[in-house]
Amino acid sequence: ETKSSEVFEPTSEWQTIKPGQAIPAGLHVQMNLQTGEKQAKLMDGDDGSKYKKHAKAKYYKEYNQKKEKVVKIDRNVFTKQHLKDALRDFKDKFHDDTTTGSGSEQIQTSRHFRPIEDIRKELEGSDIFMKKDIDVIKEHVQVLNSSESTMEQLEHALDELEYFVHQIDNAKDFDTIGGLAIVIKLMNSTESGLSSRAAYVLGSAVQSNPSTQKSAQSKGALLLLLRLLAPSQPMAVRRKAMYGLSSLIRLYSKGQQEFLKLNGLETFIKLFSEDKAGPLRVKALTLMTDILTEQFDYIKGKAKMQGVEELESVVKQVPLLQAMVAQGLCAHVSALLDTTDNDTREKVLQALDIMMVGCKHELKHTSVFKSLQRLRDEWTNSAASSQDSDERD
């Protein structure tokens, strides 16, 4: 091993730095990353006068003074086993210190801390633990079923229930404990705040839920919902009733059949001649379009399985389409093309597209073609104008 007393003496040429050599400051130093070899030389323009022997002795003295400040540790003094033993003794000592003490000290400590059994008993009657959904639903149903509940309490219970019954299993449990029957009765209330909320809860409970759809139908919910659509009812009640009706008969064929038996289509057609029923009219049209689509897809799939190629004649036999055509809904729908609302226009065009197979004769009327042509020209000009604006930007 090279002694550290040897100080590197630089020149204008690259020289290898030996291990342990002291390197004066102000040199140009480089290292080979592959071999680890270090080299040094004087900086360009440096004659190396400051690195002569008289300066070398001074640097050596300062270098050794710095090295003397470094603490040397003999690795043989502390081993891993020594450290483990020291930690074990520390833990044992800490344990002994915490467990030892006089009897009076232990009694004093027990006075500060209560037994866990006492704490558990006190917490049993508190509400800090989260309740299950069915427990919350039962509490709200009890409010609805109590004759002592105020109007505010009834409305609050219905609002809370609407949140819970969205979940399919909660809706089934809600029906099982009698909540669905109570809500259907509340739809017949003379208080609009109760009837509208009850219809809303019903719609959320039966939406895409065949078991609760069947239960609600058997309890007479469909007839009550159609009654709530009457013009004599406030618009807030009629909106919730339309939501409940849509949820009840969508994807439920038996409900759709009863809807036709109860003259539900006639109720919808009356909306087209009512001035203030604009939003309801669009919702009714959307519902009819969705149900027709369901029935067409079912009929077409069944016909293909039986090898029937002529699907149009089969689709014309759908009961809802036949009823819509017979009651003049084709003309009512086409009349909505004159609206200026683009969202309504889109829904009307979707309805006409699905109804076309049964409404061809009615849609040949000149006014319908004029309305369609006007819409086509309007949207073509709008698209061209938008494209020109983008090109200018």
Side-chain angles (χ1 to χ4, degrees):
E1 181 179 295
T2 306
K3 295 181 179 180
S4 63
S5 59
E6 183 179 352
V7 179
F8 181 80
E9 187 171 352
T11 64
S12 59
E13 303 293 333
W14 288 107
Q15 298 182 75
T16 301
I17 302 172
K18 298 177 182 179
Q21 272 191 317
I23 307 173
L27 299 182
H28 190 175
V29 182
Q30 69 177 10
M31 183 178 69
N32 189 322
L33 296 177
Q34 295 182 346
T35 63
E37 182 184 48
K38 296 180 182 179
Q39 292 183 327
K41 71 170 186 175
L42 294 171
M43 300 292 290
D44 294 341
D46 191 351
D47 59 1
S49 58
K50 62 181 178 180
Y51 301 110
K52 299 302 180 182
K53 289 186 178 180
H54 64 277
K56 183 176 179 180
K58 179 181 178 182
Y59 179 84
Y60 168 71
K61 182 178 179 181
E62 294 176 352
Y63 176 78
N64 280 343
Q65 287 177 351
K66 292 180 180 179
K67 285 198 66 177
E68 287 175 359
K69 296 179 181 179
V70 178
V71 179
K72 294 184 178 180
I73 299 176
D74 187 354
R75 295 181 180 178
N76 295 323
V77 175
F78 295 103
T79 63
K80 290 183 179 180
Q81 188 61 40
H82 288 148
L83 293 175
K84 290 180 178 179
D85 294 340
L87 288 173
R88 187 181 302 108
D89 293 342
F90 174 77
K91 290 180 180 179
D92 292 341
K93 185 176 183 302
F94 178 78
H95 179 72
D96 293 342
D97 291 343
T98 56
T99 56
T100 57
S102 63
S104 61
E105 291 177 349
Q106 292 182 4
I107 293 174
Q108 187 70 21
T109 301
S110 65
R111 290 176 180 174
H112 285 84
F113 299 97
R114 300 163 55 199
I116 189 63
E117 291 77 9
D118 295 345
I119 298 175
R120 285 176 178 170
K121 288 180 180 179
E122 288 187 5
L123 294 179
E124 284 179 358
S126 63
D127 294 331
I128 64 171
F129 300 106
M130 185 174 295
K131 296 179 180 179
K132 295 181 180 179
D133 286 359
I134 184 59
D135 295 329
V136 179
I137 292 173
K138 285 180 179 179
E139 291 178 359
H140 293 310
V141 170
Q142 288 176 357
V143 173
L144 297 181
N145 203 29
S146 174
S147 59
E148 299 179 356
S149 299
T150 64
M151 181 63 62
E152 184 178 357
Q153 290 173 333
L154 292 172
E155 291 180 351
H156 175 72
L158 289 170
D159 290 338
E160 293 296 315
L161 284 170
E162 194 278 328
Y163 168 79
F164 283 100
V165 297
H166 272 287
Q167 212 276 337
I168 291 179
D169 290 335
N170 284 345
K172 292 179 180 178
D173 293 338
F174 177 63
D175 181 28
T176 301
I177 63 176
L180 190 62
I182 296 174
V183 165
I184 292 174
K185 289 181 181 179
L186 287 175
M187 289 197 305
N188 207 22
S189 172
T190 56
E191 296 289 341
S192 60
L194 291 182
S195 58
S196 62
R197 284 177 170 83
Y200 196 29
V201 173
L202 175 78
S204 299
V206 300
Q207 191 172 45
S208 302
N209 196 335
S211 64
T212 52
Q213 284 176 324
K214 182 178 180 180
S215 178
Q217 180 193 2
S218 66
K219 293 177 174 62
L222 190 52
L223 180 60
L224 288 176
L225 289 169
L226 289 173
R227 288 178 180 174
L228 292 178
L229 285 174
S232 58
Q233 295 289 341
M235 183 55 69
V237 175
R238 300 175 77 187
R239 285 176 179 270
K240 299 302 183 184
M242 181 63 75
Y243 168 72
L245 180 63
S246 300
S247 301
L248 182 56
I249 66 176
R250 266 195 176 96
L251 301 175
Y252 182 51
S253 59
K254 291 184 177 180
Q256 296 166 14
Q257 293 170 10
E258 186 180 4
F259 171 78
L260 293 177
K261 290 180 181 179
L262 294 174
N263 297 321
L265 195 57
E266 291 182 5
T267 302
F268 277 10
I269 291 176
K270 290 178 182 179
L271 296 175
F272 287 88
S273 57
E274 185 183 339
D275 294 335
K276 298 181 180 180
L280 295 178
R281 192 182 304 136
V282 176
K283 291 181 182 296
L285 183 60
T286 303
L287 176 59
M288 292 297 95
T289 303
D290 292 343
I291 293 177
L292 272 181
T293 303
E294 292 174 22
Q295 296 184 1
F296 282 8
D297 290 343
Y298 174 77
I299 294 293
K300 288 178 181 179
K302 196 171 182 180
K304 287 181 180 179
M305 291 178 61
Q306 296 176 355
V308 178
E309 296 182 358
E310 182 57 37
L311 297 178
E312 182 174 329
S313 59
V314 177
V315 169
K316 285 183 178 180
Q317 305 303 316
V318 171
L320 179 59
L321 179 62
Q322 291 179 340
M324 292 170 70
V325 174
Q327 298 189 36
L329 195 59
C330 299
H332 287 293
V333 172
S334 59
L336 293 177
L337 289 172
D338 295 331
T339 182
T340 57
D341 181 63
N342 284 327
D343 183 59
T344 302
R345 287 174 173 178
E346 181 182 356
K347 289 181 169 59
V348 171
L349 291 173
Q350 290 174 347
L352 290 176
D353 180 56
I354 196 70
M355 294 167 59
M356 182 65 68
V357 65
C359 297
K360 284 183 178 180
H361 178 72
E362 287 78 2
L363 296 181
K364 287 181 180 179
H365 195 274
T366 307
S367 61
V368 176
F369 280 99
K370 285 183 178 180
S371 298
L372 292 174
Q373 187 175 7
R374 177 176 53 80
L375 288 177
R376 184 193 63 185
D377 295 341
E378 179 183 336
W379 288 338
T380 301
N381 294 334
S382 178
S385 176
S386 178
Q387 185 176 359
D388 292 340
S389 178
D390 292 340
E391 291 177 355
R392 285 195 299 270
D393 293 341

